[in-house]
Amino acid sequence: MSDRERYGDQAQSPTERLLEGSWGRRERRASERELIVEAAAAIVFVAAAAALLILGGAAGLRPALTILLIIVYTLVGRIEFPVGTGYVVPTQLILVPMLLLLPPAVVPLAVGIGLVTGSTVDWSLGRVPSRRILSAVPDAWHAMGPALVLVLDGSRAIGFGDLPVLAAALIAGCLVDLATSLARMWLTGSMPDLKVQLRVIGLVWAVDASLAPLGFLAALTTRHHGASILFVLPLVFLLWLLARDRSQRIDQAHSRLQLVEHERARLQSAVRRLGDAFAAKLELNGLLQILLHGSVEALDAAGGWLELVPGSALSVTLVTGSAGPPAVADAAHSRRPPAGPAQIWDDAGWRLSLPMRIAASPREVVGVLGFIREDRAFEKDEIALIVELIAKAELAAGEILTHHAIREQAVTDPLTGLGNRRKLDADLAAALSEAVSHRPSLLLLFDLDGFKDYNDTFGHLAGDALLARLGAKLEAAVGRKGMAYRLGGDEFCAHLHLDGEDSDSVIHRAAAALSETGVEFSIHASLGVVLLPHEADSAEHALQIADERMYSNKRTRSTAARSQAGEVLLRTMHAKQPDLDEHSSNVAELATRVARRLGLGGEILDEVARAAELHDIGKVGIPDAILNKPSSLSAGEWEFIHQHTILGERILHG
């Protein structure tokens, strides 16, 4: 390869850049404006050619020679060297003989007929769009200038002594062609950079000036023998081969340019996804999504999948692409990670699988990243790029998992796996910030009774094992109702939401979970209960109240969790409206009398009395401004008051 070939792209001229920039616009459909301009230019040309024919006449016309010259011109007019936004056509090779052998006034119409005939043939063969037939008419303007000069000169025979006249005719043709071309581009709104366009026109003129002498010699020969014009056909054929080769090279260059633009767009997309990766920070799923989608775009693949194999430290399955759900889904079920990059061909296309190994504790996470491409195999450099991306993603994912592990350790009790005091404080703060009075929750604080004796009897290792067992039982007892925590030592805690299930049974299950009895030991838990958000407005306050009640329970061991919760509700109600204390007692006494008259007794009678005492508990959810309003209530306020029975039902459900 020569230096010129190697660095041809770097030495590209403005003319060639204009050509490449406009090459993609050649196949687009003409706009309505362009069609109107071309039609107007064609009409003006036909009118001008007719006027010239009337002015100069057609004396001396030789029909057979005229037809032969039009045929040759039609052939020459199909030779198009792409330059800029148009073509260089070696028409001077036959235009000069037409000007010298035919009446000059006839030449513009003859040229127009030749151009239209050639475009019609190309259109019938599907090579050009139909608009090329219309634009072929104004393309004949280049013959108008020299024909006009020769008509004005008297339409006499020109020989070697009249070369200045012929030169003037050619210059006139160039100027008319330039003026009409610029006017058409300006009217259609496709005017390129004028400086570059003038360079293109200069190149066209140089080609015309080079071919005009050959056309002059062919004309002199044809004057004596009309068929001599056919001797230009070998040269025409040579020019056609050169023009076709140039067009093919430009087609190839344009295809490469489009490919480069496509690759550039993919690169820009990859850079944007890299920015997304920075924004994702320490979110593992976001990182894996970016890796998958970015790799699919970088490889121009039809689809892809990423699967972290179940049984690893975590399991993730992601699928994307347009290769068809069955193909991608089938690929995603190839669960065994390959030892290295593996590429196979099947009915879905080329399938590439690459292993992933993310360092994590307690064991590494293994998986597979795969792609499907229908039209071509994956190249070595593409595979190397994805392998490099996977290596960086593995490192980043390992750091993410490590960070998550450290963060979990900071809020997890290492012995039981439950949340610790830091986790409890955060959860309580979040719950209190979102809590509303008609959706209460309970904070349960437990302290193990008998654990010290157990530790002294069986040792610390057995004590730790007991704490781990009790923690697991408490977590299972709480279930979906809330969260379980270990605050240190033998203190446990639970936060339960009162939104459906009987909270009394949940409280009893939680207390029972922290009990264990053996031959030489008996472990139970003292309990303190706090109703949130009614009794505390902060995590510290809630834990303080729970601690006081838990130790009171530890001292007395006489108040069951259920009755303690009832006492909490009564104190809450009386604290909100002291007047309700006497009212509730009166209602309870009246209800008890009615129950006795109905023959009730024992535990059922106690239940009736307790229910009567709590019948107004729903008023804790009614604003004080409404309860204590001195004037009459509005309709909306009465509606609010009527809701206190529903609120009471929700609170008392536990």
Side-chain angles (χ1 to χ4, degrees):
M1 179 183 293
S2 67
D3 289 344
R4 180 178 179 83
E5 292 173 329
R6 183 175 301 152
Y7 300 109
D9 290 342
Q10 300 177 12
Q12 193 180 40
S13 68
T15 300
E16 291 171 326
R17 289 197 297 271
L18 177 62
L19 169 61
E20 291 191 0
S22 64
W23 194 254
R25 297 193 295 269
R26 298 176 185 271
E27 301 303 324
R28 67 174 177 83
R29 295 181 61 183
S31 66
E32 183 178 355
R33 179 180 179 180
E34 291 173 332
L35 292 176
I36 293 174
V37 170
E38 293 296 331
I43 293 172
V44 174
F45 169 78
V46 172
L52 183 63
L53 182 60
I54 295 172
L55 176 65
L61 180 66
R62 298 160 60 185
L65 180 60
T66 301
I67 294 174
L68 180 60
L69 290 173
I70 290 176
I71 293 174
V72 176
Y73 190 94
T74 300
L75 297 176
V76 174
R78 298 303 90 214
I79 303 174
E80 299 175 334
F81 288 89
V83 174
T85 58
Y87 301 91
V88 173
V89 182
T91 53
Q92 297 298 329
L93 192 62
I94 190 65
L95 177 61
V96 173
M98 293 177 75
L99 290 169
L100 300 183
L101 299 175
L102 302 177
V106 176
V107 172
L109 287 177
V111 168
I113 293 172
L115 291 176
V116 170
T117 302
S119 297
T120 302
V121 172
D122 285 343
W123 170 74
S124 64
L125 296 176
R127 297 173 181 173
V128 298
S130 58
R131 66 181 176 90
R132 283 292 297 274
I133 299 176
L134 178 62
S135 62
V137 178
D139 284 346
W141 271 105
H142 68 278
M144 186 66 67
L148 179 61
V149 170
L150 295 181
V151 168
L152 295 177
D153 187 58
S155 302
R156 56 190 175 83
I158 297 177
F160 280 101
D162 300 308
L163 291 181
V165 176
L166 182 59
L170 295 179
I171 293 174
C174 292
L175 294 177
V176 171
D177 187 30
L178 174 61
T180 55
S181 298
L182 293 178
R184 288 161 64 188
M185 286 187 288
W186 178 75
L187 291 172
T188 57
S190 59
M191 188 70 179
D193 181 81
L194 184 59
K195 183 182 295 185
V196 176
Q197 186 64 25
L198 290 177
R199 292 182 182 179
V200 173
I201 292 296
L203 179 59
V204 174
W205 290 354
V207 173
D208 289 345
S210 300
L211 294 176
L214 297 178
F216 179 71
L217 295 177
L220 294 180
T221 304
T222 308
R223 279 180 178 175
H224 303 287
H225 303 282
S228 299
I229 194 65
L230 297 177
F231 283 99
V232 303
L233 293 181
L235 180 58
V236 170
F237 179 70
L238 176 62
L239 294 175
W240 175 78
L241 290 177
L242 295 176
R244 188 184 67 166
D245 179 70
R246 176 174 172 82
S247 295
Q248 290 175 346
R249 288 179 178 271
I250 293 176
D251 279 333
Q252 294 172 357
H254 184 64
S255 298
R256 289 194 298 269
L257 180 62
Q258 289 181 320
L259 180 60
V260 169
E261 290 177 350
H262 179 65
E263 296 297 328
R264 181 170 176 265
R266 283 167 48 190
L267 178 60
Q268 290 175 340
S269 177
V271 171
R272 285 193 296 270
R273 290 196 176 275
L274 183 60
D276 294 339
F278 286 124
K281 295 182 179 178
L282 297 178
E283 207 281 301
L284 180 61
N285 191 67
L287 175 67
L288 297 179
Q289 289 277 6
I290 290 169
L291 173 63
L292 174 60
H293 292 280
S295 300
V296 167
E297 288 187 5
L299 293 176
D300 196 21
W305 72 97
L306 188 152
E307 183 176 30
L308 300 183
V309 178
S312 302
L314 78 151
S315 177
V316 174
T317 300
L318 304 173
V319 178
T320 186
S322 58
V328 177
D330 292 343
H333 284 89
S334 302
R335 294 183 176 274
R336 185 187 306 174
Q343 182 173 190
I344 61 172
W345 165 261
D346 58 19
D347 294 338
W350 289 97
R351 182 177 298 174
L352 174 65
S353 301
L354 303 101
M356 288 189 65
R357 291 178 175 83
I358 303 173
S361 178
R363 61 182 181 274
E364 73 173 5
V365 179
V366 296
V368 59
L369 178 63
F371 309 95
I372 293 175
R373 193 160 67 185
E374 301 172 351
D375 51 349
R376 63 189 189 280
F378 296 93
E379 302 295 337
K380 291 183 178 180
D381 58 336
E382 294 177 317
I383 297 176
L385 172 63
I386 301 303
V387 168
E388 183 179 352
L389 289 177
I390 290 177
K392 294 180 179 180
E394 289 172 342
L395 180 61
E399 293 177 353
I400 291 174
L401 294 178
T402 301
H403 177 82
H404 279 297
I406 294 173
R407 189 168 60 183
E408 287 298 318
Q409 290 174 4
V411 295
T412 303
D413 175 57
L415 180 61
T416 62
L418 302 178
N420 59 15
R421 174 61 182 267
R422 180 180 298 177
K423 174 71 170 173
L424 174 64
D425 289 342
D427 290 350
L428 284 180
L432 288 171
S433 66
E434 300 174 358
V436 290
S437 57
H438 61 277
R439 296 187 62 187
S441 62
L442 288 178
L443 176 65
L444 310 181
L445 182 62
F446 301 95
D447 186 82
L448 299 183
D449 298 328
F451 179 72
K452 184 177 183 305
D453 294 337
Y454 184 93
N455 234 7
D456 293 341
T457 302
F458 299 102
H460 292 289
L461 292 179
D464 289 345
L466 174 65
L467 292 176
R469 289 197 304 274
L470 295 179
K473 291 167 61 179
L474 177 61
E475 185 176 29
V478 170
R480 297 181 180 179
K481 296 290 294 182
M483 291 286 295
Y485 310 85
R486 178 177 176 239
L487 305 186
D490 58 356
E491 281 193 333
F492 290 85
C493 188
H495 181 221
L496 307 176
H497 301 286
L498 301 180
D499 54 1
E501 185 181 349
D502 183 5
S503 60
D504 183 54
S505 63
V506 177
I507 293 173
H508 280 292
R509 284 204 308 269
L514 295 177
S515 301
E516 190 168 312
T517 302
V519 177
E520 300 181 12
F521 69 94
S522 178
I523 303 296
H524 298 283
S526 297
L527 170 63
V529 182
V530 179
L531 181 66
L532 302 176
H534 304 88
E535 293 192 296
D537 56 2
S538 67
E540 293 78 7
H541 190 200
L543 286 171
Q544 179 184 352
I545 297 174
D547 190 68
E548 293 173 355
R549 292 173 181 171
M550 182 267 294
Y551 277 105
S552 175
N553 175 243
K554 184 182 286 288
R555 287 191 299 269
T556 62
R557 299 292 294 169
S558 61
T559 304
R562 178 183 175 122
S563 61
Q564 185 181 9
E567 292 296 331
V568 168
L569 293 174
L570 282 175
R571 285 196 296 270
T572 300
M573 182 176 65
H574 295 159
K576 186 173 183 66
Q577 271 200 306
D579 296 338
L580 291 178
D581 190 3
E582 182 178 355
H583 171 69
S584 298
S585 299
N586 293 337
V587 173
E589 182 179 356
L590 181 60
T592 302
R593 290 179 184 178
V594 173
R596 286 198 182 100
R597 290 287 299 270
L598 294 175
L600 302 179
E603 294 182 1
I604 297 179
L605 192 62
D606 292 337
E607 290 282 63
V608 170
R610 179 63 58 150
E613 289 178 336
L614 296 173
H615 77 281
D616 276 334
I617 189 61
K619 290 183 179 180
V620 300
I622 306 299
D624 293 338
I626 296 178
L627 288 176
N628 301 325
K629 185 176 181 180
S631 58
S632 60
L633 301 179
S634 65
E637 292 169 337
W638 274 117
E639 182 67 24
F640 211 93
I641 287 291
H642 292 160
Q643 296 296 317
H644 87 274
T645 57
I646 299 175
L647 298 178
E649 179 189 5
R650 292 174 180 171
I651 294 174
L652 290 175
H653 195 272

